[in-house]
Amino acid sequence: MKIAVTYSNGEVFQHFGHSEQFKIYEVEEGNVKSSEVIGSDGQGHGALAGLLASEEIDVLICGGIGGGAMQALNDNGIEVVAGASGDTDEVVTAYLNGELESTGVNCNHHGEGHSCHDHEDGHSCGGHGEGHSCGGHNSESDANDAANSNNDEKSCDCGDNESCNCGDDEEGCVGGCGGCHGCHSAPAIEGKNVGKTCRTHYVGTFNDGTQFDSSYDRGEPLEFVCGAGMMIHGFDAAVANMEVGETIEIHLDPSEAYGERNPNAIMTTEISELPGSEDLTVGQQVYLQDMFGRPIPVVVTEKTDSTITLDANHEMAGKELNFKIELMEVV
């Protein structure tokens, strides 16, 4: 058996999609026989699943990871144990002793149940080889890649079950619903809770008072590693200096949340160039895949007889957000 661990200076690196190194362990009869550190060769986000598959990895141990990346790894037959932290050798030993429990998907939102996971008529994602990006995590560079690559190969390959196999969430981040959006360019977080696993309850509202999310409604606090890029920047920064038991209220401008809407993240292409897109309707969410295998969530915003327009902006882009946050525990 081969186990890979996201690696940085002997510790479990906390952001799967940004992993520059993995420590690979060869295991026989429950014991580690050898280990080595390999680089990701600049693979970037979702393509790391392919890299690990090529290394014939059986198990990945990591910190934060998004739903799409986990699905991509599972599709390659790789078991994922998420939420790990600390010394990589000790973590592997704990796994082999049956003492390491996975938190599951943990890099997908300021709170894990936001509606971006519940898109009406949203399509599930499968794997494709050569795909196309039409944006991605609302980052300006990815959006520009989208706007400038209309001639690249695209694939949608929708089946009869309306499952659009256009790739998977990138490491994560299921459309940037939480961290992973701002973490690519946001300034570093400072505070006593940085690097620690925090459990928080929260309620998120728009300026008109409309509630868009609540961990209380789900009956379970949100767990994340503070400062690891798993959260939108403003939420992360607020928790960094909180005391256990403290409750605060914060207001976030778009720059501290999902950024402003980016017109370059909108792409219009010929339906004939995107197989399967003829079955899509306005308002549906699908996932495309760029040349590196990174999944890009997009929404169909317009469709004619010959063209289709896809928007990779996050649904919360350009919006001011309010949060009431209660820090339940720091571990």
Side-chain angles (χ1 to χ4, degrees), residues 13 58 136 155 173 193 206 248:
F13 185 64
D58 299 294
S155 57
C173 300
N193 296 329
F206 296 119
I248 64 172

PDB file of all heavy atoms in Angstrom, residues 13 58 136 155 173 193 206 248:
ATOM      1  N   PHE A  13       0.501  19.555   5.353  1.00  0.00           N
ATOM      2  CA  PHE A  13       0.121  20.837   4.748  1.00  0.00           C
ATOM      3  C   PHE A  13      -1.399  20.918   4.702  1.00  0.00           C
ATOM      4  O   PHE A  13      -2.075  19.952   4.360  1.00  0.00           O
ATOM      5  CB  PHE A  13       0.713  20.955   3.348  1.00  0.00           C
ATOM      6  CG  PHE A  13       0.468  22.282   2.688  1.00  0.00           C
ATOM      7  CD1 PHE A  13       1.013  23.433   3.230  1.00  0.00           C
ATOM      8  CD2 PHE A  13      -0.306  22.380   1.545  1.00  0.00           C
ATOM      9  CE1 PHE A  13       0.802  24.668   2.630  1.00  0.00           C
ATOM     10  CE2 PHE A  13      -0.529  23.600   0.938  1.00  0.00           C
ATOM     11  CZ  PHE A  13       0.025  24.751   1.477  1.00  0.00           C
ATOM     12  N   ASP A  58      -2.705   4.761  -2.776  1.00  0.00           N
ATOM     13  CA  ASP A  58      -3.937   4.131  -2.291  1.00  0.00           C
ATOM     14  C   ASP A  58      -4.701   5.027  -1.321  1.00  0.00           C
ATOM     15  O   ASP A  58      -5.933   5.009  -1.280  1.00  0.00           O
ATOM     16  CB  ASP A  58      -3.606   2.811  -1.580  1.00  0.00           C
ATOM     17  CG  ASP A  58      -2.938   1.808  -2.509  1.00  0.00           C
ATOM     18  OD1 ASP A  58      -3.603   1.365  -3.454  1.00  0.00           O
ATOM     19  OD2 ASP A  58      -1.747   1.510  -2.284  1.00  0.00           O
ATOM     20  N   GLY A 136     -12.972  30.276 -12.869  1.00  0.00           N
ATOM     21  CA  GLY A 136     -12.449  29.455 -11.815  1.00  0.00           C
ATOM     22  C   GLY A 136     -12.219  30.235 -10.562  1.00  0.00           C
ATOM     23  O   GLY A 136     -11.352  31.068 -10.500  1.00  0.00           O
ATOM     24  N   SER A 155     -15.377  20.073 -23.165  1.00  0.00           N
ATOM     25  CA  SER A 155     -16.154  18.850 -23.075  1.00  0.00           C
ATOM     26  C   SER A 155     -17.206  18.998 -22.016  1.00  0.00           C
ATOM     27  O   SER A 155     -16.964  19.562 -20.966  1.00  0.00           O
ATOM     28  CB  SER A 155     -15.244  17.658 -22.726  1.00  0.00           C
ATOM     29  OG  SER A 155     -14.562  17.893 -21.534  1.00  0.00           O
ATOM     30  N   CYS A 173     -13.041  23.451  -3.842  1.00  0.00           N
ATOM     31  CA  CYS A 173     -13.695  24.535  -3.246  1.00  0.00           C
ATOM     32  C   CYS A 173     -15.079  24.717  -3.725  1.00  0.00           C
ATOM     33  O   CYS A 173     -15.703  25.698  -3.425  1.00  0.00           O
ATOM     34  CB  CYS A 173     -12.918  25.743  -3.400  1.00  0.00           C
ATOM     35  SG  CYS A 173     -11.321  25.566  -2.644  1.00  0.00           S
ATOM     36  N   ASN A 193      -5.241  32.190  17.068  1.00  0.00           N
ATOM     37  CA  ASN A 193      -5.891  30.945  16.645  1.00  0.00           C
ATOM     38  C   ASN A 193      -5.393  30.429  15.297  1.00  0.00           C
ATOM     39  O   ASN A 193      -5.823  29.362  14.859  1.00  0.00           O
ATOM     40  CB  ASN A 193      -7.410  31.143  16.575  1.00  0.00           C
ATOM     41  CG  ASN A 193      -8.014  31.439  17.934  1.00  0.00           C
ATOM     42  OD1 ASN A 193      -7.523  30.974  18.953  1.00  0.00           O
ATOM     43  ND2 ASN A 193      -9.075  32.231  17.953  1.00  0.00           N
ATOM     44  N   PHE A 206     -27.621  38.755   4.436  1.00  0.00           N
ATOM     45  CA  PHE A 206     -27.373  39.877   3.544  1.00  0.00           C
ATOM     46  C   PHE A 206     -27.756  41.167   4.272  1.00  0.00           C
ATOM     47  O   PHE A 206     -28.319  41.135   5.372  1.00  0.00           O
ATOM     48  CB  PHE A 206     -28.180  39.723   2.256  1.00  0.00           C
ATOM     49  CG  PHE A 206     -27.801  38.522   1.437  1.00  0.00           C
ATOM     50  CD1 PHE A 206     -28.734  37.531   1.175  1.00  0.00           C
ATOM     51  CD2 PHE A 206     -26.516  38.383   0.941  1.00  0.00           C
ATOM     52  CE1 PHE A 206     -28.387  36.422   0.424  1.00  0.00           C
ATOM     53  CE2 PHE A 206     -26.158  37.278   0.187  1.00  0.00           C
ATOM     54  CZ  PHE A 206     -27.101  36.289  -0.072  1.00  0.00           C
ATOM     55  N   ILE A 248     -19.278  37.367  18.121  1.00  0.00           N
ATOM     56  CA  ILE A 248     -19.075  38.669  17.484  1.00  0.00           C
ATOM     57  C   ILE A 248     -19.961  38.783  16.258  1.00  0.00           C
ATOM     58  O   ILE A 248     -20.449  37.779  15.727  1.00  0.00           O
ATOM     59  CB  ILE A 248     -17.603  38.887  17.074  1.00  0.00           C
ATOM     60  CG1 ILE A 248     -17.180  37.862  16.012  1.00  0.00           C
ATOM     61  CG2 ILE A 248     -16.680  38.835  18.285  1.00  0.00           C
ATOM     62  CD1 ILE A 248     -15.802  38.143  15.426  1.00  0.00           C
TER      63      ILE A 248
END
